[in-house]
């Protein structure tokens, strides 16, 4: 594929991500932080996010499977997830986390379960999107072009 | 007569003689007896007769004489001895009494004579008194006439009435045939017949004023008799051969207002006189009496006074009318001015709202438009729109500021601010324009200038910007130099503004700013106009430079509000000019931890732009956000150490770290505790790093907690790059940062 075409594709893809509220301007900030001193900053952060989130989601699932749910601990995890997602700009995930936290405060088990499902769903969505985006970027770099900001 | 004792025949030869003697004696006796009777009778009748006993004496004498003569009758014939005895007795008695009477009369007759003299004297006296009384009565009459005349004359303040009344009353009092008043004409060279008594409409006779008879009258203050044939007295054609009555003329001084300031009135040097001529009826034998002349003189004086009073009154009435007119006009003008002011205020109030609303819409939408995707030409157009509308908004604000300044409703927003930063910001704003015009701008801040000051930062900046902007605007080439220093008392005085008396005090200082440019300069006459609204120096160069002419007027008002003074010095056209202003600012107290002022929302583009080598410790439990924060700081050039727990943080923190950024919204972990412990670890203030909390919580409780534990700042997540940059720079400058939540 043509480099220019690839680049345009990437730009459009990114635009769509923003448009669909998968990402917000925090992600743009991250991209700004990437420079020649820190060429893979975004990828590193996002990878860390993936790791962190998966761990947290496992913990959440485990916690909710318990007989007596420790809402405090649940809340702590959701808080972490919320923090991470807001740090990279995963807007949708963050929003669900906020709702999740409310349910935790109310000690609403069903609500929590539902939120957990939602979070998992959103997370997988955004993970896919980001991975696709990174792949596109790789392709551009491989084709010899530069990744547009 | 002999009496003998011989017996003789009774009727001798001389019988006839005897008879006659007999009869005469009889009659004598009779007379002698009747005289005293008459005397007694008349004395009884009269009331006053002092010498009664004299009368008695006299009566006795006469009675005795009569008796003697009576007894003598019997001696003609033979008579007895008794008769002879009686006769002798009678004669003796008579002799005694008559001698006594004779003696008495010697005393009495002079007295009686003197009584007569006194009577004559008294009669003369009575006649004299009668004469005098007649005189007094006449004088009193005259006085009464004068009083009446004066009363009549002074009872009116109308000039004509006064004069007419004078003539009428004089005519009546003195029973004159004719009475006339000659007034001097405007030229002063002639006397014109103005009023007469008998003639209703005096024809305008005039006589020249320098006639000898007139001079004679004018030179004396008394009434002077003049000839009936002289021109002033010849008022009527002479009818028949009647003998004209005597004529008297008297001068009437006409006083002007200014004459009353002299004390010795009426002896004045420059006087105008009128002439009053009085004529007695012809064919009467009347003469002018002295008292009549006096009357005339008195009346003439009174008339003069009355006329002057009338003149004064006229004058004061005229002045009062004039004043009333002026008052009415002033009142009208004042009301018009008030209406104009009200109209202007209404207009401004309307403009305030009505014009700002669309302006706001234009600016807001233009800036939003800028954010969207635009072609380069479109972008340029939008930028121009934005710039123009900003300019327009500034203009509106200026005008509104001016009106608010005029009303006195503008108050300064006092606050603590960084003085040097203000100057640097002005410099930054002006540098682009200056470099376009190839002008060199230099800033000199005196070392003793305090870093922080209390004052109205925004308006001070506006003032400096305006002054510097003017310097740049009106210079085509050369350099601009801005100097700022603390004004000492000698340099505070400016000879051009003697009423500006600065009073330095302990916690205040006077900032003096001088902006010197090398532009076209201003002629000295134009300098006062510069600070008036909407006025500009009339050279073509300034015409093209735009601007409303309000800038300096507003600056002056701001400077005045700051209790200062602004002026411009120039050496003339073409030699550039220096704008100088002095304002009063406060010196803030040393900042300490308990009194951390709230900063306004962080503004961008301040001071430091790179923080190379700045050691920062980031503490965040969340790995992702920790990494993001680190990335931010690394991008800004800081050296970042990371800690993922409070223990680790406390372990790692050292005095090399200037800033500690910690996430405090993690439940279950007390970030505040860490802050307290760090405080304890570093007792010396300069060793302790600045502690800033990162939080996503927007509630006040978080902020208050942070402040309570002694944190130096709070920032809200998410933090953008720009935000981090400005946060750090603010933090390092002010050593404090609390974002407004």
């Amino acid at each position: 594929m043509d480099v220019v075409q690839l680049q345009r594709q990437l730009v459009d893809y990114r635009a769509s991500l923003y448009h669909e509220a998968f990402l917000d301007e925090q992600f743009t900030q991250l991209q700004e932080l990437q420079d020649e001193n820190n060429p893979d900053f975004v990828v590193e952060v996002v990878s860390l996010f993936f790791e962190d989130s998966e761990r947290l989601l496992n913990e959440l699932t485990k916690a909710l499977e318990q007989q007596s749910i420790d809402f405090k601990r649940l809340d702590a995890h959701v808080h972490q997830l919320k923090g991470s997602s807001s740090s990279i700009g995963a807007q949708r995930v963050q929003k669900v986390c906020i709702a999740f936290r409310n349910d935790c405060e109310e000690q609403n088990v069903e609500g929590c379960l539902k939120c957990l499902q939602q979070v998992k769903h959103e997370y997988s969505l955004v993970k896919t999107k980001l991975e696709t985006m990174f792949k596109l970027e790789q392709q551009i770099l491989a084709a010899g072009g530069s990744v547009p900001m | 007569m002999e009496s003998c004792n011989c017996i003789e025949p009774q009727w001798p030869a001389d019988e006839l003689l005897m008879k006659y003697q007999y009869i005469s004696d009889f009659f004598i006796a009779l007379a002698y007896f009747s005289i005293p009777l008459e005397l007694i009778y008349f004395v009884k009748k009269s009331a006053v007769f002092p010498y009664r006993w004299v009368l008695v004496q006299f009566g006795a004498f006469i009675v005795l004489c009569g008796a003697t003569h009576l007894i003598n009758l019997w001696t003609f014939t033979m008579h007895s001895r008794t008769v002879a005895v009686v006769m002798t007795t009678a004669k003796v008695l008579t002799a005694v009494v008559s001698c006594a009477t004779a003696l008495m009369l010697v005393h009495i007759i002079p007295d009686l004579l003197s009584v007569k003299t006194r009577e004559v004297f008294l009669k003369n006296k009575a006649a004299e008194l009668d004469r005098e009384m007649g005189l007094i009565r006449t004088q009193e009459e005259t006085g009464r006439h004068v009083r009446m005349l004066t009363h009549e004359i002074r009872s009116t303040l109308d000039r004509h009435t006064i004069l007419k009344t004078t003539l009428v009353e004089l005519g009546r009092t003195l029973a004159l045939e004719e009475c006339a008043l000659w007034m001097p004409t405007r030229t002063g060279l002639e006397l014109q017949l103005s009023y007469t008594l008998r003639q209703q409409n005096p024809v305008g006779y005039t006589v020249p004023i320098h006639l000898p008879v007139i001079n004679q009258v004018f030179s004396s203050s008394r009434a002077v008799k003049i000839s009936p044939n002289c021109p002033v007295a010849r008022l009527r054609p002479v009818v028949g051969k009647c003998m004209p009555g005597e004529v008297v003329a008297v001068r009437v001084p006409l006083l002007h207002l200014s004459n009353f300031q002299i004390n010795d009135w009426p002896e004045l040097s420059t006087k105008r006189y009128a002439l009053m001529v009085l004529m007695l009826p012809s064919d009467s034998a009347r003469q002018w009496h002295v008292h009549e002349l006096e009357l005339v003189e008195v009346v003439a004086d009174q008339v003069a006074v009355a006329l002057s009073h009338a003149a004064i009154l006229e004058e004061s009435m005229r002045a009062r009318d004039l004043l009333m007119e002026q008052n009415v006009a002033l009142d009208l003008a004042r009301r018009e001015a008030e209406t104009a002011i009200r109209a202007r205020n209404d207009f401004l109030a309307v403009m305030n709202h009505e014009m700002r609303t669309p302006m706001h819409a234009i600016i807001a939408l233009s800036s939003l438009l800028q954010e969207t995707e635009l072609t380069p030409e479109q972008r340029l157009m939008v930028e121009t729109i934005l710039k123009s509308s900003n300019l327009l908004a500034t203009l509106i604000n200026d005008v509104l500021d001016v009106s608010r300044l005029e009303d006195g409703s503008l108050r300064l927003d006092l606050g603590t601010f960084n003085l040097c930063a203000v100057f640097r910001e002005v410099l930054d704003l002006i540098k682009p324009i200056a470099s376009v015009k190839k002008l060199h701008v230099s800033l000199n801040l005196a070392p003793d200038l305090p870093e922080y000051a209390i004052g109205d930062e925004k308006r001070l900046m506006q003032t400096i910007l305006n002054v510097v902007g003017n310097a740049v605007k009106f210079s085509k080439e050369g350099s601009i130099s801005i100097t700022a220093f603390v004004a000492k008392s000698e340099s505070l005085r400016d000879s051009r503004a003697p009423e500006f008396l600065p009073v330095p005090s302990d916690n205040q200082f006077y900032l003096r700013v001088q902006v010197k440019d090398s532009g076209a300069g201003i002629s000295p006459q134009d300098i006062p106009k510069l600070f008036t609204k909407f006025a500009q120096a009339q050279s073509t160069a300034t015409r093209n430079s735009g601007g409303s002419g309000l800038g300096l007027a507003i600056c002056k008002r701001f400077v005045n509000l700051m209790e200062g003074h602004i002026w411009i010095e120039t050496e003339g056209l073409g030699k550039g000019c220096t704008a100088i202003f002095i304002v009063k600012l406060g010196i803030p107290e040393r900042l300490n931890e308990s009194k951390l002022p709230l900063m306004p929302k962080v503004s961008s583009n301040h001071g430091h732009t790179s923080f190379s080598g700045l050691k920062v410790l980031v503490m965040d439990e969340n790995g992702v956000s920790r990494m993001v924060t680190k990335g931010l700081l690394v991008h800004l050039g800081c050296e970042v150490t990371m800690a993922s727990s409070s223990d680790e943080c406390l372990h790692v923190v050292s005095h090399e770290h200037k800033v500690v950024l910690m996430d405090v919204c993690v439940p279950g972990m007390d970030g505040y505790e860490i802050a307290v412990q760090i405080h304890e670890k570093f007792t010396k203030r300069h060793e302790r790093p600045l502690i800033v909390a990162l939080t996503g919580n927007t509630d006040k409780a978080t902020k208050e907690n942070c402040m309570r534990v002694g944190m130096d700042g709070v920032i809200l997540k998410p933090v953008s790059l720009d935000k981090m940059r400005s946060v750090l720079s603010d933090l390092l400058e002010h050593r404090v940062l609390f974002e407004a939540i």
Side-chain angles (χ1 to χ4, degrees):
Chain A
M1 256 216 253
D2 197 12
V3 173
V4 176
Q5 269 182 312
L6 279 171
Q7 281 170 337
R8 191 168 297 142
Q9 204 179 1
L10 178 63
V11 168
D12 289 340
Y13 193 68
R14 274 198 198 142
S16 74
L17 286 181
Y18 282 106
H19 192 67
E20 288 162 28
F22 281 108
L23 298 174
D24 60 17
E25 66 257 9
Q26 184 59 23
F27 193 75
T28 327
Q29 292 288 328
L30 289 183
Q31 287 183 314
E32 275 183 39
L33 293 177
Q34 189 163 292
D35 53 18
E36 48 282 358
N37 297 333
N38 235 339
D40 296 318
F41 181 67
V42 179
V43 175
E44 280 171 18
V45 175
V46 172
S47 314
L48 189 58
F49 169 68
F50 290 157
E51 278 173 40
D52 216 27
S53 307
E54 263 149 43
R55 179 180 59 85
L56 281 170
L57 284 171
N58 285 336
E59 291 283 333
L60 281 170
T61 319
K62 249 192 273 178
L64 277 171
E65 280 167 6
Q66 301 285 325
Q67 285 287 30
S68 63
I69 301 174
D70 185 356
F71 283 104
K72 274 213 168 57
R73 221 167 131 228
L74 205 63
D75 189 55
H77 289 315
V78 176
H79 182 81
Q80 286 274 329
L81 186 59
K82 183 183 133 209
S84 312
S85 55
S86 74
S87 291
I88 68 152
Q91 203 181 30
R92 279 197 188 178
V93 178
Q94 185 193 6
K95 280 207 176 98
V96 179
C97 287
I98 293 172
F100 202 151
R101 279 194 84 186
N102 282 343
D103 285 332
C104 287
E105 263 178 55
E106 291 164 18
Q107 304 203 344
N108 182 349
V109 179
E110 271 158 44
C112 288
L113 284 167
K114 223 197 288 183
C115 280
L116 182 61
Q117 287 305 317
Q118 258 185 303
V119 163
K120 279 186 174 165
H121 175 67
E122 290 294 337
Y123 168 71
S124 61
L125 274 178
V126 80
K127 178 171 172 182
T128 321
K129 298 277 183 185
L130 282 170
E131 281 173 348
T132 319
M133 199 180 81
F134 288 143
K135 224 179 275 172
L136 264 176
E137 284 181 6
Q138 295 292 336
Q139 281 180 337
I140 293 170
L141 283 172
S146 62
V147 177
M149 290 304 290
Chain B
M1 168 161 50
E2 327 182 334
S3 63
C4 59
N5 290 327
C6 59
I7 315 273
E8 302 249 300
Q10 274 6 62
W11 304 92
D14 301 87
E15 207 174 293
L16 201 66
L17 284 166
M18 281 295 189
K19 229 192 245 171
Y20 281 126
Q21 272 191 2
Y22 190 82
I23 294 168
S24 309
D25 272 331
F26 178 71
F27 274 111
I28 287 169
L30 202 66
Y32 273 141
F33 280 131
S34 59
I35 286 174
L37 284 173
E38 282 168 15
L39 269 173
I40 290 167
Y41 173 72
F42 282 117
V43 166
K44 273 233 163 71
K45 279 281 179 194
S46 99
V48 180
F49 196 79
Y51 304 109
R52 271 187 200 232
W53 64 274
V54 170
L55 199 65
V56 166
Q57 209 173 4
F58 209 63
F61 162 66
I62 292 177
V63 162
L64 284 171
C65 275
T68 312
H69 280 286
L70 194 63
I71 294 169
N72 215 23
L73 286 177
W74 273 271
T75 57
F76 285 112
T77 54
M78 289 293 283
H79 50 281
S80 62
R81 192 175 173 85
T82 1
V83 174
V85 169
V86 169
M87 183 81 201
T88 316
T89 319
K91 274 197 181 163
V92 167
L93 277 173
T94 309
V96 168
V97 172
S98 49
C99 286
T101 311
L103 283 169
M104 212 49 64
L105 277 177
V106 171
H107 291 290
I108 285 174
I109 288 181
D111 273 348
L112 284 176
L113 282 176
S114 79
V115 164
K116 221 40 186 165
T117 329
R118 253 184 266 153
E119 195 189 313
V120 167
F121 175 69
L122 277 170
K123 217 180 262 169
N124 282 346
K125 253 303 191 242
E128 206 178 295
L129 278 169
D130 269 337
R131 265 203 308 278
E132 266 179 26
M133 204 160 88
L135 216 64
I136 288 171
R137 206 177 280 135
T138 324
Q139 278 182 346
E140 195 214 333
E141 188 104 348
T142 312
R144 203 160 37 82
H145 280 302
V146 168
R147 270 197 302 280
M148 188 191 55
L149 257 169
T150 313
H151 174 74
E152 287 291 331
I153 292 171
R154 301 278 283 271
S155 67
T156 171
L157 285 167
D158 174 45
R159 194 193 173 91
H160 297 284
T161 320
I162 289 174
L163 293 168
K164 236 355 188 171
T165 316
T166 311
L167 298 180
V168 163
E169 291 298 323
L170 268 179
R172 200 146 41 97
T173 310
L174 300 171
L176 301 171
E177 176 181 348
E178 181 61 87
C179 188
L181 193 67
W182 299 75
M183 302 282 281
T185 57
R186 224 163 268 281
T187 58
L189 297 173
E190 291 181 327
L191 284 179
Q192 188 182 28
L193 181 63
S194 313
Y195 305 93
T196 58
L197 185 57
R198 307 287 172 201
Q199 294 170 336
Q200 291 302 66
N201 303 316
V203 184
Y205 291 133
T206 56
V207 293
I209 205 168
H210 291 297
L211 289 179
V213 62
I214 298 177
N215 280 338
Q216 186 197 1
V217 175
F218 279 177
S219 57
S220 148
S221 65
R222 313 201 54 120
V224 173
K225 290 209 184 80
I226 61 175
S227 149
N229 292 325
C230 72
V232 290
R234 223 174 342 160
L235 296 173
R236 295 206 214 161
V238 178
V239 175
K241 293 226 189 272
C242 57
M243 183 65 184
E246 288 198 345
V247 180
V248 146
V250 70
R251 71 175 189 190
V252 179
L254 297 172
L255 299 169
H256 295 283
L257 265 104
S258 52
N259 293 342
F260 282 100
Q261 281 147 19
I262 308 174
N263 284 337
D264 51 329
W265 105 285
E267 293 304 302
L268 305 162
S269 51
T270 55
K271 305 180 273 272
R272 295 193 325 150
Y273 296 111
L275 189 73
M276 193 150 59
V277 175
L278 305 111
M279 282 173 260
L280 287 177
S282 41
D283 278 348
S284 75
R286 263 184 67 183
Q287 299 245 314
W288 281 100
H289 296 152
V290 170
H291 68 269
E292 287 171 344
L293 291 179
E294 280 171 9
L295 182 92
V296 166
E297 283 157 23
V298 167
V299 167
D301 277 337
Q302 290 295 319
V303 164
V305 171
L307 283 176
S308 311
H309 284 191
I312 291 176
L313 184 76
E314 241 178 68
E315 195 65 42
S316 79
M317 298 286 280
R318 211 153 24 94
R320 192 194 65 174
D321 285 339
L322 205 65
L323 263 173
M324 271 195 346
E325 263 177 44
Q326 279 181 343
N327 273 355
V328 166
L330 273 172
D331 204 33
L332 191 66
R334 181 180 59 88
R335 265 183 281 128
E336 275 176 19
E338 275 178 7
T339 319
I341 289 178
R342 259 198 303 265
R344 184 200 70 175
N345 286 345
D346 288 342
F347 166 69
L348 283 175
V350 165
M351 212 169 89
N352 185 10
H353 184 259
E354 298 301 325
M355 282 183 69
R356 276 195 171 151
T357 317
M359 275 318 306
H360 182 71
I362 295 174
I363 293 177
L365 292 173
S366 312
S367 30
L368 276 178
L369 196 60
Q370 254 188 340
E371 302 291 320
T372 63
E373 292 233 1
L374 299 167
T375 69
E377 306 103 51
Q378 286 176 326
R379 190 165 285 278
L380 199 64
M381 285 191 247
V382 171
E383 272 173 15
T384 314
I385 292 175
L386 204 53
K387 252 195 277 233
S388 311
S389 34
N390 274 329
L391 199 65
L392 192 58
T394 315
L395 197 64
I396 296 174
N397 285 337
D398 275 357
V399 172
L400 285 161
D401 269 348
V402 163
S403 75
R404 272 200 303 156
L405 283 167
E406 305 255 280
D407 292 342
S409 59
L410 193 71
R411 301 264 177 276
L412 292 177
D413 294 326
L414 296 177
T416 311
F417 62 94
N418 187 323
L419 198 56
C420 311
V422 167
F423 282 103
R424 271 195 288 270
E425 191 166 330
V426 168
L427 205 63
D428 285 341
L429 285 169
I430 212 73
K431 265 210 171 94
I433 312 174
S435 62
V436 161
K437 287 178 103 169
K438 306 239 186 342
L439 294 167
H440 176 251
V441 183
S442 62
L443 171 65
N444 287 326
L445 299 176
D448 64 348
L449 212 57
E451 203 183 335
Y452 291 93
I454 300 179
D456 189 333
E457 182 191 3
K458 179 175 142 230
R459 295 199 169 99
L460 180 65
M461 178 140 71
Q462 199 176 341
T463 309
I464 303 175
L465 194 56
N466 199 302
V467 169
V468 173
N470 277 348
V472 168
K473 208 192 315 184
F474 296 119
S475 302
K476 292 213 196 69
E477 58 187 3
S479 65
I480 316 262
S481 80
I482 310 171
T483 332
F485 52 93
V486 174
K488 302 290 183 296
S489 45
E490 323 79 57
S491 60
L492 285 174
R493 299 288 168 82
D494 174 33
S495 57
R496 260 158 297 230
E499 67 274 4
F500 177 58
L501 289 170
V503 181
S505 57
D506 276 340
N507 55 352
Q508 287 171 329
F509 71 99
Y510 283 90
L511 168 73
R512 182 176 163 125
V513 176
Q514 289 177 194
V515 178
K516 186 165 163 50
D517 71 55
S518 58
I522 308 169
S523 67
Q525 301 99 290
D526 284 339
I527 289 185
K529 272 200 292 179
L530 285 171
F531 293 102
T532 52
K533 290 194 293 187
F534 307 115
Q536 286 184 323
Q538 291 300 314
S539 64
T540 48
T542 60
R543 270 301 153 100
N544 301 330
S545 314
S548 63
L550 277 179
L552 275 177
I554 295 182
C555 287
K556 184 176 165 88
R557 279 164 181 81
F558 283 154
V559 166
N560 284 341
L561 272 175
M562 294 192 223
E563 296 177 50
H565 185 60
I566 181 169
W567 72 96
I568 295 198
E569 289 174 8
T570 176
E571 292 171 38
L573 282 168
K575 297 207 182 93
C577 61
T578 312
I580 308 173
F581 69 88
I582 302 180
V583 292
K584 191 195 233 187
L585 297 171
I587 305 176
E589 301 166 21
R590 282 291 288 160
L591 294 170
N592 51 22
E593 292 94 75
S594 55
K595 276 203 310 181
L596 296 170
L598 271 163
M599 298 290 290
K601 200 102 169 52
V602 285
S603 46
S604 54
N605 298 330
H606 258 250
H608 302 136
T609 48
S610 91
F611 308 93
S612 55
L614 182 71
K615 285 199 181 227
V616 182
L617 177 62
V618 174
M619 193 216 79
D620 196 339
E621 249 205 352
N622 187 315
V624 176
S625 72
R626 199 170 56 230
M627 194 159 175
V628 171
T629 313
K630 177 185 167 181
L632 272 174
L633 291 167
V634 164
H635 190 79
L636 289 174
C638 309
E639 256 186 57
V640 182
T641 324
M642 296 217 281
S644 55
S645 70
S646 55
D647 296 326
E648 200 185 329
C649 173
L650 280 170
H651 191 70
V652 174
V653 75
S654 73
H655 63 85
E656 284 180 352
H657 294 109
K658 290 280 181 278
V659 183
V660 173
L661 281 170
M662 62 171 67
D663 185 309
V664 293
C665 57
V666 184
M669 182 159 90
D670 206 334
Y672 309 119
E673 263 286 305
I674 306 174
V676 171
Q677 290 192 5
I678 292 182
H679 266 279
E680 283 168 12
K681 190 165 171 184
F682 298 97
T683 47
K684 290 213 192 67
R685 192 155 175 254
H686 66 267
E687 280 181 352
R688 185 169 64 76
L690 295 167
I691 307 174
V692 179
L694 278 171
T695 175
N697 277 352
T698 56
D699 59 359
K700 275 202 170 329
T702 316
K703 191 172 93 163
E704 276 164 21
N705 287 337
C706 293
M707 278 170 84
R708 203 169 26 87
V709 295
M711 296 213 180
D712 299 296
V714 176
I715 315 175
L716 281 176
K717 284 208 275 200
V719 187
S720 70
L721 185 63
D722 284 334
K723 189 154 143 185
M724 183 59 88
R725 187 187 291 130
S726 51
V727 159
L728 278 179
S729 72
D730 267 346
L731 202 62
L732 291 167
E733 277 193 31
H734 298 145
R735 299 192 68 80
V736 83
L737 174 78
F738 277 95
E739 191 173 6
I741 290 173

